[in-house]
Amino acid sequence: MIRKQVESGRPDIVTCLKTCTFRTGESSTVRQYRRKERTFVTAVRLDLNTDGFTYLKWGGTQRCKRGDWLVNNQGDVYTIDAETFERTYQMVSPGLYEKVAPVWAEVAAEPGTIQTKEGSTAYLAGDYLVFNTLDRKDGYAMKAETFRQLYESSGQ
């Protein structure tokens, strides 16, 4: 199986046309979504005297560093880059957070990997490629079922 890679930094238009298109044949533009109400995460900031650590998840090696966040998202545990977490989440109560920033997402047309701030994530055709910014930076992949449970169209 050939895996194509979408870099979350700055994918060029050729890369996006090859790996960022809808299965339905629609244009390669992403659509805006928002987190459904009352889908909170529990999180703690890794503010320890450490250089960080690595772990295996989503078919790749993930890395976190001092200041990043350890998140439990309905039983799925992972880390989020400090800047991303602080920009996209809001505290509901100590240890409980809600994602308040919109995301832009599209369905992957074929399997591949996406580079994230924490490492790389493998995905299958039909999974969602999700970005914290409209310009396709700060991206990650999610199983379609999980995405539909957590997100809804923002109507934009």
Side-chain angles (χ1 to χ4, degrees), residues 27-151:
S27 70
S28 64
T29 59
V30 293
R31 296 176 191 240
Q32 189 179 56
Y33 296 84
R34 64 176 167 247
R35 185 85 176 215
K36 290 181 180 177
E37 287 187 35
R38 315 227 25 101
T39 55
F40 305 120
V41 300
T42 54
V44 62
R45 188 170 187 173
L46 296 171
D47 199 11
L48 305 170
N49 188 12
T50 179
D51 292 332
F53 58 87
T54 61
Y55 59 99
L56 298 176
K57 189 158 181 99
W58 302 307
T61 299
Q62 310 302 312
R63 293 172 296 285
C64 71
K65 58 197 173 305
R66 181 180 183 169
D68 286 353
W69 289 79
L70 181 62
V71 174
N72 182 327
N73 184 3
Q74 300 183 2
D76 192 14
V77 178
Y78 50 89
T79 58
I80 298 179
D81 174 77
E83 183 276 327
T84 296
F85 189 87
E86 291 160 8
R87 181 173 42 82
T88 60
Y89 283 82
Q90 177 178 312
M91 184 169 54
V92 174
S93 65
L96 192 64
Y97 295 84
E98 181 176 26
K99 187 161 189 174
V100 293
V103 298
W104 290 263
E106 62 192 346
V107 177
E110 57 189 58
T113 58
I114 185 170
Q115 282 303 119
T116 69
K117 287 185 172 183
E118 295 79 18
S120 65
T121 299
Y123 58 86
L124 300 174
D127 289 347
Y128 275 77
L129 300 178
V130 185
F131 303 92
N132 285 311
T133 61
L134 180 57
D135 60 2
R136 298 175 189 258
K137 293 182 181 179
D138 195 7
Y140 52 97
M142 292 182 81
K143 297 288 180 199
E145 181 180 337
T146 302
F147 183 84
R148 287 190 295 268
Q149 287 173 353
L150 297 176
Y151 290 93

